[in-house]
Amino acid sequence: MDKVTLQVFANHARAAAENMAYTLYRTAHSTFVKETEDFTIQILDPAGQVSAVPMDLGATWYVGLNYGPAIGMIPDYRPGDIGATNDPYSGFLATHAPDLHMWKPIFWEDEIVAFASGHIHNTDMGGAVPASLSRTLTEIHQEGVRIPPLKMYREGVLNEEALRIMLLNVRKPEQNLGDLKAFVGALNTGERKVLAMLRKFGLEGFRAGQAGLLDYAEHQAREILRSIPDGDYFFCDYTDEDSAGGNPCRLALTLRIEGDSATLDFTGTDPQLTSALNVPTGGAARHTLLLVGVYYVLYTLNPQILLNAGLVRPFTCIAPEGTVLNPTFPAAVGMRSLTCARLRSLIFGAFSLAIPDRMPAAPAGTSSIMNVRTVDNRTRETVLAAINPVVGGAGGMPHRDGTNGSGADGAYLKNTPIEITETEVPIQFLRYGLMPDSGGAGEHRGGLASVLEFKVFSPNTHITARNRDRCRFRPWGTLGGHSGKPSDFMLNPGTARVKPLGNTDITSMDPGDVLHIHSPGGGGRGSPLKRDAALVLQDVRRGYVSVEAAATDYGVIIRDGVVDESATAARRAALRATETGRHFFFGPERDTFEQLWSRDVYAAMTDVIASLPVHWRFFMKSRLFEMVPAIARETTGCPVTEAVTRLRRRYPEMFPAG
C-alpha cells in the first residue's frame, strides 16, 4: 500500500477506535470508567495484534498487548460471539482481576478479518477487600472472581450463567452490569466501523492496511533506536515496600541498544513477592507491561509515531521466571500497577543514560486511586465508588517545566470534578489542588504534586488507596536537578488524633474523620542555579514555591515581593560550590540505602536467590535484609556471603541438593 493510502487507512482505523471509545465513555455507569477513563479500546488483526487505538480517550498501556493466546483458548467463533476473560494467568492477557477484557470477531464473507476489543476496569470484582485490590493480599484467589476465556455472548445471546457467577461475587453488581453493557455497545460500534472500512478499501486493501500499519510503526521505532548510541545502560529503581510494612523492592534493567533493536534484560530484579505487587507477564518476550515505558519514550521522541503492536517488534525482554516481573501461579498480582509505575521510571532512567539530552527527569511514578465504601445516611444504602486518582507531577523536560498534577506516565487518568463525586458519594471535599514546594528544583522544575482532603460522615467507612508509594524513595532529578518531594497519607491532620498512614492502602474512618493525601512531585532537570530568577519569582507569586524554598533550593532571595539581585548572586555563588555534577539526584533516602545495598552486594544476593526454589526466594530475601546490616558492621567482606553461610546451617532444606 502506498504511503498516502496508508495514511488515509490509518485515519479511518483511528476514527473507528475513537468511535468505539466514545461509545463506552458516554454510556458507562461507574465513575472509574465514565470519568476517570480507566479503559482501553483496540482494533486487532486476525492474530490478535493491536493495529489501532484511540489517541484521546482511555488508558495508553496496551498498544502492544497480544490477545492471541486468550483468543485461541476459545476453539471456534461465529458472528455475534464475544469472548471475555479477567484471569491474569489465562494467556496473560488480563493483568489483574478488575480488568475485564472482551473481544468480538468481525467477519467478512465467513472469514475473521479483525477483532474489536478492549478492557474496562471494574471498581470491584469481589475478593478480600472493597475494590478488590491491596498489597496485603498474598495469592490471586483473594483478589476476586476470575473468569477464564469464554464466550460472554454466543451468536448475539448473552451467557446468563457466566454473568450470574460474576454478579454474585461483586459488591455493586449494577455497576458491573452497566459497564459491561456499555462495553458491548462499544464493540458493536467497532464492528460497524470496520465493516464500513472493508466496503471502502476492499478485503485485500483492508488486509494490506492492517499489515502496513504494524510495519510502519516498527519502522518508526527502529528509526528512533538507530539515533541512540549503541551500548549497555544499567539502571535500578525501588518501590518503598515489597509487602505491607516490608523491605524495598528493587527493579533492575540492563538496556542494550544494538543498531535498530534493543534488549531489556531485567535480570537482578527482586524475587516474586508474597504480596500483590507482582506483574503477570508469563515471561513473554514482548509483554506490553514490560514495554509501557518504552512506548512513552518512543512517543516523546517522535509524537507522530503510530501506536500499535508494531512498536514492540524491535524489542526483546528478558524477565527471569519467579521474579516480581514474571511470577508463577498463584502469586497475587492485583497491585501490579504500582510496580508498573516503578517499571516505567526504571526504563526512563536507562534511556536517560543513553540519551541524556533528550530525556526528562523522573515523573511522580505513582497514582493513588482512591475508593470509598460507606453508607449514605439519607438512603441507608451502601455506596462504593472511585472518587479520584491522586496523580503527581511530571519530571522536568529538556525544554520546559514538568506538568503539574498530571505526571506523564499517569496522565491518562482523568480527574473527576468534586461536584460530581459529592453528588454520588456522601463525603465532603475540604481541599483539592496542587501541593506547594513538591516539584523537584531544577533549571526546569518538576511538576507539582496533587493534594486531596475529604471528610466522611458514616461509621466504618472503608478507604482503599491503591498504589500508595514514594513515601520513602523519591522521584529522581537529572543533570543537577533535585528529586521531587515524597508523598504522604494521614488521618486527621493538624489534630490530636493525627495518624500517619505512610504507604497503607486500606484504612477505616469514622464520622468527622478527615483524610489527607498528597502525591509525589516530579524530579527537576538541570541545575536549579541556572533557572532564571524571574521564573523563580513567578513560581513564588503563583504559590508553587515558597520564599524559603526559593532561597534554599534556587539561591534566589526574594524580599518584599521582588528579587534581591546582589543577595541572590552571593547565595548562588555559595551553592555552586556544593554541586556534585552527578547524573541522577536520588535524594538522601536512596543514597543512604545504597551505602549498604550497593550494586555488588545486591548482585550477590540476587545470584543466591535465583538458585533457590521459587517458594523459598522471598523468604531468603527477607532474612538477608534482617541479617546483612549487622554482618556488614562485623566484616569487611561481602556480608551476603556470610549471611548465606549462616542461613544454610539454619535452613538446610532451603537449598537444592548439591
Side-chain angles (χ1 to χ4, degrees):
M1 181 176 283
D2 65 85
K3 291 183 178 180
V4 173
T5 306
L6 182 62
Q7 184 60 59
V8 172
F9 185 90
N11 293 342
H12 278 267
R14 174 183 169 183
E18 288 181 342
N19 272 270
M20 293 170 63
Y22 193 75
T23 299
L24 176 55
Y25 171 60
R26 297 298 295 173
T27 58
H29 283 221
S30 70
T31 299
F32 209 53
V33 177
K34 70 182 181 182
E35 295 288 347
T36 307
E37 295 184 29
D38 196 346
F39 65 82
T40 58
I41 286 295
Q42 297 101 359
I43 295 173
L44 311 177
D45 70 8
Q49 299 290 318
V50 177
S51 61
V53 298
M55 296 293 289
D56 301 314
L57 288 169
T60 50
W61 283 46
Y62 294 117
V63 298
L65 191 57
N66 183 6
Y67 276 72
I71 288 174
M73 292 180 182
I74 297 176
D76 69 292
Y77 291 91
R78 298 179 182 276
D81 287 351
I82 295 179
T85 186
N86 75 325
D87 178 25
Y89 288 101
S90 293
F92 296 94
L93 172 61
T95 58
H96 60 186
D99 285 357
L100 177 67
H101 286 259
M102 296 204 297
W103 57 93
K104 183 174 188 178
I106 301 172
F107 286 82
W108 184 261
E109 297 178 353
D110 299 323
E111 178 183 356
I112 295 176
V113 295
F115 289 87
S117 71
H119 95 279
I120 52 173
H121 181 104
N122 289 287
T123 302
D124 181 84
M125 283 298 285
V129 300
S132 306
L133 304 176
S134 169
R135 80 183 70 203
T136 62
L137 305 182
T138 59
E139 59 181 2
I140 196 165
H141 306 291
Q142 299 166 330
E143 296 182 332
V145 61
R146 290 155 49 223
I147 302 168
L150 51 72
K151 290 185 180 181
M152 188 62 71
Y153 281 78
R154 294 180 179 273
E155 299 184 63
V157 179
L158 178 63
N159 184 340
E160 297 281 358
E161 291 182 355
L163 182 65
R164 282 202 302 271
I165 292 171
M166 182 178 76
L167 297 184
L168 180 67
N169 283 278
V170 304
R171 291 174 172 85
K172 298 296 288 183
E174 65 276 8
Q175 285 189 7
N176 296 61
L177 180 58
D179 284 350
L180 186 145
K181 290 180 177 179
F183 195 177
V184 171
L187 298 180
N188 291 339
T189 297
E191 180 182 40
R192 290 196 303 272
K193 295 298 181 180
V194 168
L195 291 175
M197 291 176 64
L198 282 155
R199 288 189 289 270
K200 179 179 180 63
F201 293 96
L203 178 58
E204 294 308 314
F206 183 85
R207 285 173 171 161
Q210 277 203 314
L213 291 180
L214 271 64
D215 290 345
Y216 189 54
E218 177 187 1
H219 167 77
Q220 290 177 307
R222 293 190 185 278
E223 285 287 301
I224 292 172
L225 289 173
R226 275 192 287 267
S227 73
I228 300 174
D230 285 359
D232 287 5
Y233 305 96
F234 175 83
F235 190 72
C236 65
D237 210 341
Y238 305 86
T239 66
D240 290 346
E241 301 173 347
D242 56 15
S243 55
N247 300 303
C249 176
R250 180 194 195 231
L251 304 182
L253 169 64
T254 299
L255 171 66
R256 184 169 297 113
I257 304 292
E258 297 177 293
D260 66 354
S261 63
T263 300
L264 285 79
D265 187 348
F266 297 100
T267 301
T269 290
D270 272 2
Q272 74 181 59
L273 311 175
T274 55
S275 69
L277 276 70
N278 300 294
V279 181
T281 65
R286 296 176 180 84
H287 196 284
T288 196
L289 290 185
L290 298 175
L291 291 170
V292 175
V294 169
Y295 308 151
Y296 282 93
V297 171
L298 296 176
Y299 194 79
T300 296
L301 299 177
N302 178 10
Q304 304 305 316
I305 203 165
L306 291 178
L307 296 180
N308 62 50
L311 295 180
V312 310
R313 292 175 178 173
F315 298 90
T316 301
C317 298
I318 300 171
E321 187 177 43
T323 64
V324 67
L325 299 181
N326 182 14
T328 60
F329 180 85
V333 298
M335 293 286 288
R336 54 88 175 121
S337 48
L338 188 159
T339 309
C340 285
R342 196 62 58 253
L343 181 58
R344 295 193 292 274
S345 298
L346 180 76
I347 291 170
F348 298 162
F351 274 97
S352 178
L353 291 170
I355 44 173
D357 57 321
R358 301 165 70 186
M359 288 294 296
T366 182
S367 304
S368 296
I369 312 298
M370 304 296 295
N371 294 277
V372 175
R373 188 186 71 173
T374 189
V375 174
D376 191 324
N377 290 318
R378 297 164 297 182
T379 64
R380 300 185 183 180
E381 292 184 353
T382 298
V383 177
L384 176 64
I387 61 170
N388 244 320
V390 182
V391 182
M397 301 289 288
H399 58 289
R400 66 169 176 84
D401 294 342
T403 304
N404 293 327
S406 185
D409 58 335
Y412 63 89
L413 292 172
K414 310 301 189 296
N415 71 303
T416 303
I418 60 174
E419 295 84 358
I420 291 176
T421 301
E422 288 184 337
T423 298
E424 298 182 348
V425 186
I427 63 175
Q428 180 185 2
F429 284 96
L430 305 178
R431 183 181 181 189
Y432 186 40
L434 299 175
M435 191 74 180
D437 287 337
S438 56
E443 182 178 9
H444 298 298
R445 174 181 45 74
L448 300 183
S450 300
V451 58
L452 177 68
E453 291 183 1
F454 62 89
K455 181 189 293 187
V456 306
F457 300 96
S458 289
N460 202 32
T461 292
H462 287 273
I463 308 297
T464 58
R466 178 159 59 99
N467 300 337
R468 287 290 307 133
D469 198 41
R470 289 294 200 198
C471 276
R472 179 179 182 185
F473 295 116
R474 309 177 185 214
W476 35 266
T478 60
L479 305 178
H482 294 186
S483 55
K485 296 299 190 296
S487 66
D488 204 1
F489 192 35
M490 69 181 74
L491 197 61
N492 298 314
T495 72
R497 297 183 300 119
V498 64
K499 180 181 179 182
L501 299 173
N503 284 322
T504 300
D505 57 21
I506 304 175
T507 191
S508 294
M509 300 175 65
D510 287 325
D513 281 347
V514 172
L515 194 70
H516 167 100
I517 180 172
H518 70 257
S519 60
R525 188 181 189 281
S527 169
L529 304 183
K530 295 181 180 179
R531 187 170 178 83
D532 190 324
L535 293 178
V536 178
L537 177 61
Q538 179 176 274
D539 282 346
V540 170
R541 289 173 172 172
R542 289 175 171 174
Y544 294 172
V545 175
S546 66
V547 171
E548 294 75 17
T552 302
D553 296 335
Y554 293 93
V556 175
I557 309 301
I558 298 173
R559 293 192 175 100
D560 300 324
V562 296
V563 175
D564 185 323
E565 300 288 353
S566 60
T568 294
R571 174 64 176 162
R572 285 189 156 182
L575 289 175
R576 285 191 186 95
T578 66
E579 291 191 313
T580 63
R582 295 189 302 174
H583 185 97
F584 295 107
F585 190 106
F586 294 117
E589 298 83 3
R590 176 165 169 175
D591 289 345
T592 300
F593 176 77
E594 290 186 335
Q595 287 176 7
L596 172 60
W597 291 102
S598 65
R599 182 174 175 181
D600 288 341
V601 170
Y602 225 105
M605 180 176 72
T606 54
D607 285 347
V608 171
I609 288 174
S611 70
L612 302 178
V614 170
H615 68 285
W616 278 102
R617 292 179 182 178
F618 183 72
F619 176 85
M620 167 65 92
K621 180 200 166 184
S622 300
R623 298 293 82 76
L624 289 175
F625 263 81
E626 290 176 359
M627 298 171 65
V628 163
I631 293 174
R633 292 190 292 269
E634 302 168 359
T635 179
T636 57
C638 178
V640 169
T641 302
E642 175 59 26
V644 170
T645 299
R646 298 180 189 181
L647 288 168
R648 188 181 292 273
R649 290 195 296 265
R650 190 182 307 172
Y651 304 106
E653 64 274 20
M654 177 169 28
F655 296 89

